[in-house]
Structure formats: structure tokens, C-alpha cells
Amino acid sequence: MAAAAKSKKNKNLIRGADGDWEIIVGLEVHAQVASKSKLFSASSTGFGAEPNSHVSLVDAAMPGMLPVINEECVAQAVRTGHGLNAEIHPYSVFDRKNYFYPDLPQGYQISQYKQPIVGEGEVTIDVDGETRVIGIEWLHLEQDAGKSIHDQHPDYSYVDLNRSGVALMEIVSKPDLRSSKEAQAYVTKVRTILRYLGTSDGDMDKGNLRADVNVSVRKPGGDLGTRCEIKNVNSIRFIGQAIDTEARRQIAIIEDGGRITQETRLFDPAKCETRSMRSKEEAHDYRYFPDPDLLPLEISEDYIARLKAALPELPDEKQARFVSKLGLSSYDASVLIAERENADYFEAVAKGRDGKLAANWVINELFGRLNKEGLQISDSPVSAKQLGNIIDLISEGTISGKIAKDLFEIVWSEGGDPAAIVEARGMKQVTDTGAIEKTVEEVLAANPEKAEQAKAKPNLAGWFVGQVMKASGGKANPQVVNDIVRKKLGV
Ligand code: MN
């Protein structure tokens, strides 16, 4: 086994001037908790409001104001912990993480440090047909900061505190990721899980999901190298680019005889480079201590179990069910479950029908068309009911697969009941053998030389089938045509 594992080529390695290098990545994903109000105040979390319109006295850190924990945010963190197959801690503690910044009126962020609400867990990812389990170190709850605005006035900076105090879940992975591709698959999977659970919308465009990316490089099997942390990367594509760029920078320095300094860096997508932001703080720089305004958070085992029992079906479970119950390939199932809305649509189409046929139509025709038009499933002009009806017409032999594609186009652009369209436009498949025989005879008579050749070379029969299908406007039943052509040719 060991020899086999060793001889297996590791395609994640990066070739440097001085041999191969391995990338080690750990991610801290910050996901905004789906909740109407903030973590410790009743202010709204609504996006896009007038600056500083969602700010309570607590969020503005007025003297004497006391934080009060939002129970829904706690429940969301516990649900997420379950979704990450993680241990839930019945006892956790909120700490103050002290630092000074204009968008942080308290002068500290309320976070969790040594005793987070969620402990070790794991997430499964699929990359290039290989399944890997990525460890979760912990998940903690913390407050988001406000936003500094520097581009409104040449002499002033502004602060918008609408985001200040909004609940975040920070999900910290183990350094188990070995390539940019794996890191992208991991963030995508975490986002899928959050969306299934309804615990975060994972919307990266709104900044509701962002990642701090820790990157180091080492010789395969060697000691871990010094890592650099790239802050606040806000798209899946940029996460991949930031990792590859940073790894190549580190390799070049080490191969030049230099050393990596631990630091915090920024990724600049326009230049596709990472830049030094500040030397990395250690935990002790933040002077963490338990927040004296908040009691330790205690939740009962019963509460934890009740939230677990009420979880929806999770992406991995759904994928396994699509494979075992509906006979789909693991790949097709993974495509269908990636977004919950897509999976729901597929299930509505597949209900009471052939699962594989439904999957083919949903993935190839529908998703293909939606992608081309840049549309989401919620914008689909073809409803699950309409697509199901089209599939029924194929299954019962009323229309051929080819005509079904034309029918799909008509329903896409004009709407309407598929069966009624088939009726009104004469799109029914011709299975009447008499009519098909007549067309076959005409085609054979028009091509006597080819017919002679086909008698000696049965492969050529396919050409006649094509001609007959064409002559019938695609409406002849291809199986019947094939049978009759072969019978007439005697092959
Ligand atoms: Mn954080």
C-alpha cells in the first residue's frame, strides 16, 4: 500500500527551478449569519441601506450600553456546526479582541477565542474525480466591523457603521488543502452547505462570504514552511489566483536563498499579485480576555439535538440519494445538488419519471441554455412541470428526442403546454410503418448505387436511416426506420 501511494503521481506539486514544491493552504471563511438583527443588538442587518441608518447605541459603543446575545444567531451557528459534521460545545465564551481602527467604535471586537461554540468537524470535497476530507478546526461567532470609505472626499474618510455588530461565523479549516483547486472546491462546498442550511446566503458580491487564505510551501514531505495570510479575498476565482500567485512568490524567494517572513498580505486582482499589508500579529497582540459584559454561553444537549433533528437534507446526503435511488452518476448528482434551487427543480422534474432521462434534460438542455443566457434557475422560462411534460412525450413515444429539442425551444421562447403545442403543430412522431416504408422505398430508389454498396457493407445502412429521418422532418420513429431500412436492404 505504501509503495502504491508513493508511486502515485502527485499532480498538485508545483515545479520550481530547484525541484518540486507542495502548497499548504488553510482557510478562515467569514460567513455573515442569516439573521434579521445583529449579534448583540436589535439593529437591522438589511443590505444597501443609507449609511449609518442601522446603528443602535450598542453598535455605536455608547458608554454604558450592554450587549445582549441574539438567540437566532446562536441557533444558526449550531445548525452550521451540525452541517459541518462538527462537535457542538455546550459551553462557550465570548472574548474581547482588542485593536484600534476607526470602523471599530468599541475599540475591540467581540469574538470567541479559546472556547468557540463549535469544535472539530469535516467537509468532503470532490476534485477531479477524487474525494478528500478536509478538517475543520473550529467555528466561532464574532461581530463584523463597520466600513471605512476613503474615496468620497479628498481630505476626509467616512465611516459607515451599518455592518458594525452584524454576526459572522468564522469557519477555520485545518491546513489540509493542497492546491488552489482544492481550496476553491472547499469554499464552494462550504457555501453550498450554508445555503442548504439557510444559515448564510453566502453572497460574495455583497461581502457576506469572504476568506482569509493562509499559504505556505514546502518540499514534499518536509517540515511546514512559514505562512503568509492573505486577507479578505472575496471571490472563488480570486481565492484560486491569490493562492497560486502567493505560492510562486514564496518559492522564488526560497530558491533565491531568502526566507519567508510571516505577514499579512493583500491580493490585488488587477495586477494578480499579493502585497505586504503589515507584519503578522500574534494572538497576544490582541490582548484577548473574556468579555465581562457577557456571561459564558451555555446551551443544553437537548437544544443541540433538537436543532440537529430539524436539519434539512444536506448536499452530501442528497447526492448519495440521487446516485442510489435515481441511478445517476456521481458527477451528474454533484452538478444537480450544487445549488439547492437546482436540486429542487430537478426533483420536481424527476418525480415519477426516469431519473437519468430527467437529469440529462435538466443538465444538458436546461442548465446549458440558462448558462448561455446568464440566467438563474429562478428565471427559467421553462417550468419543471413543462419540462416534465416534454419528457413524458418522449417516454410515451409521442415525439422523438430530436423533436423534443425543437419543442423545448418553442416552450422556452413562447411558453405554453407542450402536449398542446405538439398537437397544434403536427410534431407527433410517425410510427405508422406503412408511411415509413413508403419513404424508405423512395430513398432507396433515389440512391440505387448506394443501396447496392450497403447490401455488402451493412454499416452504410445508417446513412439511409439519416436520409429517411431527414425526409420525415425528424418525425419518424428512428427505431422503426432503422428496422425497415435493414429489412429492405436485407442486412
Ligand atoms: Mn475573524
Short mmCIF file of all heavy atoms in Angstrom, two decimals, residues 290-328:
data_model
loop_
_atom_site.label_atom_id
_atom_site.label_comp_id
_atom_site.label_asym_id
_atom_site.label_seq_id
_atom_site.Cartn_x
_atom_site.Cartn_y
_atom_site.Cartn_z
N PRO A 290 -11.87 37.36 28.37
CA PRO A 290 -13.31 37.13 28.36
C PRO A 290 -14.07 38.44 28.55
O PRO A 290 -13.70 39.24 29.41
CB PRO A 290 -13.54 36.19 29.54
CG PRO A 290 -12.22 35.53 29.75
CD PRO A 290 -11.18 36.55 29.39
N ASP A 291 -15.09 38.69 27.72
CA ASP A 291 -15.84 39.93 27.82
C ASP A 291 -16.64 39.95 29.12
O ASP A 291 -17.53 39.13 29.32
CB ASP A 291 -16.79 40.06 26.62
CG ASP A 291 -17.36 41.47 26.53
OD1 ASP A 291 -17.74 42.03 27.59
OD2 ASP A 291 -17.43 42.00 25.41
N PRO A 292 -16.33 40.92 30.00
CA PRO A 292 -17.01 40.94 31.30
C PRO A 292 -18.48 41.34 31.19
O PRO A 292 -19.24 41.17 32.15
CB PRO A 292 -16.21 41.97 32.11
CG PRO A 292 -15.49 42.80 31.11
CD PRO A 292 -15.31 41.97 29.88
N ASP A 293 -18.89 41.86 30.03
CA ASP A 293 -20.30 42.24 29.86
C ASP A 293 -21.17 41.05 29.45
O ASP A 293 -22.38 41.18 29.37
CB ASP A 293 -20.42 43.31 28.76
CG ASP A 293 -19.92 44.67 29.22
OD1 ASP A 293 -19.78 44.85 30.45
OD2 ASP A 293 -19.66 45.52 28.35
N LEU A 294 -20.54 39.92 29.15
CA LEU A 294 -21.32 38.77 28.67
C LEU A 294 -21.03 37.54 29.50
O LEU A 294 -19.87 37.21 29.76
CB LEU A 294 -20.95 38.47 27.20
CG LEU A 294 -21.48 39.46 26.17
CD1 LEU A 294 -20.65 39.39 24.90
CD2 LEU A 294 -22.95 39.22 25.86
N LEU A 295 -22.10 36.84 29.86
CA LEU A 295 -21.92 35.57 30.57
C LEU A 295 -21.44 34.53 29.56
O LEU A 295 -21.68 34.66 28.37
CB LEU A 295 -23.26 35.11 31.15
CG LEU A 295 -23.76 35.89 32.35
CD1 LEU A 295 -25.22 35.53 32.62
CD2 LEU A 295 -22.89 35.61 33.57
N PRO A 296 -20.76 33.49 30.05
CA PRO A 296 -20.45 32.39 29.14
C PRO A 296 -21.76 31.88 28.52
O PRO A 296 -22.82 31.95 29.15
CB PRO A 296 -19.83 31.33 30.04
CG PRO A 296 -19.29 32.10 31.19
CD PRO A 296 -20.23 33.26 31.39
N LEU A 297 -21.68 31.41 27.29
CA LEU A 297 -22.86 30.94 26.58
C LEU A 297 -23.07 29.46 26.88
O LEU A 297 -22.21 28.64 26.56
CB LEU A 297 -22.65 31.17 25.08
CG LEU A 297 -23.78 30.74 24.15
CD1 LEU A 297 -25.06 31.53 24.44
CD2 LEU A 297 -23.36 30.97 22.70
N GLU A 298 -24.19 29.14 27.52
CA GLU A 298 -24.47 27.74 27.85
C GLU A 298 -25.72 27.28 27.11
O GLU A 298 -26.76 27.92 27.21
CB GLU A 298 -24.63 27.57 29.36
CG GLU A 298 -23.31 27.74 30.09
CD GLU A 298 -23.42 27.43 31.58
OE1 GLU A 298 -23.57 26.24 31.92
OE2 GLU A 298 -23.39 28.38 32.38
N ILE A 299 -25.58 26.19 26.36
CA ILE A 299 -26.74 25.64 25.65
C ILE A 299 -26.86 24.17 26.05
O ILE A 299 -25.85 23.51 26.34
CB ILE A 299 -26.61 25.79 24.12
CG1 ILE A 299 -25.26 25.26 23.61
CG2 ILE A 299 -26.77 27.24 23.71
CD1 ILE A 299 -25.06 25.40 22.11
N SER A 300 -28.09 23.66 26.08
CA SER A 300 -28.29 22.30 26.58
C SER A 300 -28.09 21.27 25.47
O SER A 300 -28.23 21.58 24.28
CB SER A 300 -29.69 22.15 27.16
OG SER A 300 -30.64 22.20 26.10
N GLU A 301 -27.78 20.05 25.86
CA GLU A 301 -27.63 18.95 24.90
C GLU A 301 -28.95 18.75 24.16
O GLU A 301 -28.97 18.44 22.97
CB GLU A 301 -27.24 17.64 25.62
CG GLU A 301 -25.85 17.68 26.27
CD GLU A 301 -24.70 17.65 25.25
OE1 GLU A 301 -24.97 17.53 24.04
OE2 GLU A 301 -23.54 17.78 25.69
N ASP A 302 -30.04 18.96 24.88
CA ASP A 302 -31.36 18.79 24.28
C ASP A 302 -31.59 19.79 23.15
O ASP A 302 -32.08 19.47 22.07
CB ASP A 302 -32.42 18.96 25.39
CG ASP A 302 -33.81 18.88 24.84
OD1 ASP A 302 -34.11 17.83 24.23
OD2 ASP A 302 -34.59 19.85 24.98
N TYR A 303 -31.18 21.04 23.41
CA TYR A 303 -31.31 22.11 22.41
C TYR A 303 -30.47 21.77 21.16
O TYR A 303 -30.93 21.89 20.03
CB TYR A 303 -30.83 23.42 23.06
CG TYR A 303 -30.76 24.62 22.16
CD1 TYR A 303 -31.90 25.32 21.80
CD2 TYR A 303 -29.52 25.09 21.69
CE1 TYR A 303 -31.82 26.44 20.99
CE2 TYR A 303 -29.44 26.22 20.89
CZ TYR A 303 -30.58 26.89 20.54
OH TYR A 303 -30.50 28.00 19.74
N ILE A 304 -29.26 21.29 21.41
CA ILE A 304 -28.36 20.91 20.31
C ILE A 304 -28.99 19.79 19.49
O ILE A 304 -29.00 19.82 18.25
CB ILE A 304 -26.99 20.46 20.87
CG1 ILE A 304 -26.30 21.65 21.57
CG2 ILE A 304 -26.11 19.90 19.76
CD1 ILE A 304 -25.05 21.27 22.37
N ALA A 305 -29.56 18.79 20.18
CA ALA A 305 -30.16 17.64 19.50
C ALA A 305 -31.41 18.05 18.72
O ALA A 305 -31.65 17.57 17.61
CB ALA A 305 -30.51 16.56 20.51
N ARG A 306 -32.21 18.97 19.29
CA ARG A 306 -33.43 19.40 18.60
C ARG A 306 -33.08 20.12 17.30
O ARG A 306 -33.73 19.91 16.28
CB ARG A 306 -34.24 20.33 19.51
CG ARG A 306 -35.37 19.60 20.23
CD ARG A 306 -36.29 20.58 20.94
NE ARG A 306 -35.63 21.19 22.08
CZ ARG A 306 -35.55 22.50 22.29
NH1 ARG A 306 -36.06 23.35 21.42
NH2 ARG A 306 -34.94 22.98 23.35
N LEU A 307 -32.05 20.95 17.33
CA LEU A 307 -31.66 21.65 16.10
C LEU A 307 -31.15 20.65 15.06
O LEU A 307 -31.38 20.80 13.87
CB LEU A 307 -30.58 22.71 16.39
CG LEU A 307 -31.07 23.94 17.16
CD1 LEU A 307 -29.91 24.85 17.49
CD2 LEU A 307 -32.11 24.71 16.34
N LYS A 308 -30.49 19.60 15.53
CA LYS A 308 -29.97 18.61 14.60
C LYS A 308 -31.11 17.85 13.93
O LYS A 308 -31.10 17.61 12.72
CB LYS A 308 -29.05 17.62 15.33
CG LYS A 308 -28.43 16.61 14.37
CD LYS A 308 -27.28 15.85 14.99
CE LYS A 308 -26.52 15.11 13.89
NZ LYS A 308 -25.28 14.55 14.33
N ALA A 309 -32.12 17.51 14.73
CA ALA A 309 -33.24 16.74 14.21
C ALA A 309 -34.02 17.53 13.15
O ALA A 309 -34.64 16.95 12.27
CB ALA A 309 -34.17 16.33 15.35
N ALA A 310 -33.96 18.86 13.25
CA ALA A 310 -34.75 19.70 12.34
C ALA A 310 -33.96 20.12 11.09
O ALA A 310 -34.47 20.91 10.28
CB ALA A 310 -35.25 20.94 13.09
N LEU A 311 -32.74 19.59 10.92
CA LEU A 311 -31.94 20.00 9.75
C LEU A 311 -32.58 19.49 8.46
O LEU A 311 -33.16 18.42 8.43
CB LEU A 311 -30.54 19.40 9.84
CG LEU A 311 -29.57 19.90 10.89
CD1 LEU A 311 -28.21 19.26 10.67
CD2 LEU A 311 -29.44 21.41 10.88
N PRO A 312 -32.42 20.26 7.38
CA PRO A 312 -32.88 19.75 6.08
C PRO A 312 -31.90 18.69 5.56
O PRO A 312 -30.83 18.51 6.15
CB PRO A 312 -32.84 20.99 5.18
CG PRO A 312 -31.75 21.84 5.78
CD PRO A 312 -31.79 21.58 7.27
N GLU A 313 -32.26 18.02 4.48
CA GLU A 313 -31.33 17.09 3.85
C GLU A 313 -30.12 17.89 3.36
O GLU A 313 -30.28 18.91 2.69
CB GLU A 313 -32.01 16.40 2.67
CG GLU A 313 -31.13 15.35 2.01
CD GLU A 313 -31.81 14.68 0.83
OE1 GLU A 313 -32.51 15.39 0.05
OE2 GLU A 313 -31.66 13.47 0.67
N LEU A 314 -28.93 17.41 3.67
CA LEU A 314 -27.71 18.14 3.32
C LEU A 314 -27.17 17.70 1.95
O LEU A 314 -27.55 16.63 1.46
CB LEU A 314 -26.67 17.96 4.42
CG LEU A 314 -27.06 18.72 5.69
CD1 LEU A 314 -26.29 18.24 6.89
CD2 LEU A 314 -26.85 20.22 5.49
N PRO A 315 -26.30 18.52 1.35
CA PRO A 315 -25.86 18.22 -0.02
C PRO A 315 -25.27 16.81 -0.21
O PRO A 315 -25.61 16.15 -1.19
CB PRO A 315 -24.80 19.29 -0.31
CG PRO A 315 -24.89 20.29 0.76
CD PRO A 315 -25.79 19.81 1.83
N ASP A 316 -24.43 16.35 0.72
CA ASP A 316 -23.84 15.02 0.56
C ASP A 316 -24.90 13.92 0.59
O ASP A 316 -24.84 12.96 -0.17
CB ASP A 316 -22.80 14.74 1.66
CG ASP A 316 -21.51 15.52 1.45
OD1 ASP A 316 -21.35 16.10 0.34
OD2 ASP A 316 -20.68 15.57 2.37
N GLU A 317 -25.89 14.10 1.49
CA GLU A 317 -26.97 13.11 1.60
C GLU A 317 -27.80 13.10 0.31
O GLU A 317 -28.18 12.04 -0.20
CB GLU A 317 -27.90 13.45 2.77
CG GLU A 317 -27.24 13.37 4.14
CD GLU A 317 -28.03 14.10 5.23
OE1 GLU A 317 -29.11 14.68 4.94
OE2 GLU A 317 -27.56 14.10 6.37
N LYS A 318 -28.08 14.29 -0.19
CA LYS A 318 -28.88 14.39 -1.41
C LYS A 318 -28.14 13.73 -2.58
O LYS A 318 -28.72 12.99 -3.36
CB LYS A 318 -29.18 15.86 -1.71
CG LYS A 318 -30.44 16.07 -2.54
CD LYS A 318 -30.66 17.54 -2.87
CE LYS A 318 -31.38 18.32 -1.80
NZ LYS A 318 -32.80 17.96 -1.64
N GLN A 319 -26.84 14.02 -2.67
CA GLN A 319 -26.05 13.45 -3.77
C GLN A 319 -26.08 11.92 -3.69
O GLN A 319 -26.29 11.24 -4.70
CB GLN A 319 -24.60 13.96 -3.69
CG GLN A 319 -23.75 13.48 -4.87
CD GLN A 319 -22.37 14.12 -4.89
OE1 GLN A 319 -22.09 15.05 -4.13
NE2 GLN A 319 -21.50 13.62 -5.74
N ALA A 320 -25.89 11.37 -2.49
CA ALA A 320 -25.89 9.92 -2.32
C ALA A 320 -27.25 9.33 -2.70
O ALA A 320 -27.33 8.27 -3.33
CB ALA A 320 -25.55 9.56 -0.88
N ARG A 321 -28.31 10.04 -2.35
CA ARG A 321 -29.66 9.54 -2.69
C ARG A 321 -29.90 9.57 -4.19
O ARG A 321 -30.48 8.64 -4.76
CB ARG A 321 -30.72 10.39 -1.96
CG ARG A 321 -32.15 9.94 -2.22
CD ARG A 321 -33.13 10.59 -1.27
NE ARG A 321 -33.13 12.04 -1.33
CZ ARG A 321 -33.77 12.77 -2.25
NH1 ARG A 321 -34.47 12.16 -3.18
NH2 ARG A 321 -33.73 14.09 -2.23
N PHE A 322 -29.44 10.64 -4.86
CA PHE A 322 -29.62 10.72 -6.32
C PHE A 322 -28.90 9.56 -7.00
O PHE A 322 -29.36 9.03 -8.00
CB PHE A 322 -29.08 12.06 -6.87
CG PHE A 322 -29.98 13.24 -6.60
CD1 PHE A 322 -31.18 13.08 -5.91
CD2 PHE A 322 -29.63 14.51 -7.05
CE1 PHE A 322 -32.01 14.17 -5.67
CE2 PHE A 322 -30.46 15.61 -6.81
CZ PHE A 322 -31.65 15.43 -6.12
N VAL A 323 -27.74 9.17 -6.45
CA VAL A 323 -26.98 8.05 -7.04
C VAL A 323 -27.68 6.73 -6.75
O VAL A 323 -27.93 5.93 -7.66
CB VAL A 323 -25.53 8.03 -6.51
CG1 VAL A 323 -24.81 6.77 -6.94
CG2 VAL A 323 -24.77 9.27 -6.98
N SER A 324 -28.04 6.50 -5.47
CA SER A 324 -28.56 5.17 -5.11
C SER A 324 -30.02 4.98 -5.51
O SER A 324 -30.40 3.91 -5.95
CB SER A 324 -28.38 4.93 -3.61
OG SER A 324 -29.20 5.82 -2.89
N LYS A 325 -30.83 6.03 -5.41
CA LYS A 325 -32.27 5.83 -5.68
C LYS A 325 -32.65 6.16 -7.12
O LYS A 325 -33.57 5.57 -7.66
CB LYS A 325 -33.11 6.70 -4.72
CG LYS A 325 -32.97 6.31 -3.25
CD LYS A 325 -34.02 5.29 -2.89
CE LYS A 325 -33.81 4.51 -1.61
NZ LYS A 325 -33.08 5.07 -0.52
N LEU A 326 -31.95 7.12 -7.72
CA LEU A 326 -32.34 7.54 -9.07
C LEU A 326 -31.39 7.04 -10.15
O LEU A 326 -31.61 7.26 -11.33
CB LEU A 326 -32.46 9.07 -9.13
CG LEU A 326 -33.48 9.69 -8.17
CD1 LEU A 326 -33.46 11.20 -8.26
CD2 LEU A 326 -34.88 9.17 -8.48
N GLY A 327 -30.31 6.37 -9.71
CA GLY A 327 -29.39 5.78 -10.68
C GLY A 327 -28.52 6.78 -11.42
O GLY A 327 -28.00 6.49 -12.49
N LEU A 328 -28.33 7.99 -10.86
CA LEU A 328 -27.48 8.98 -11.54
C LEU A 328 -26.01 8.69 -11.30
O LEU A 328 -25.64 8.05 -10.31
CB LEU A 328 -27.79 10.39 -11.02
CG LEU A 328 -29.22 10.89 -11.07
CD1 LEU A 328 -29.24 12.40 -10.83
CD2 LEU A 328 -29.86 10.58 -12.40
#
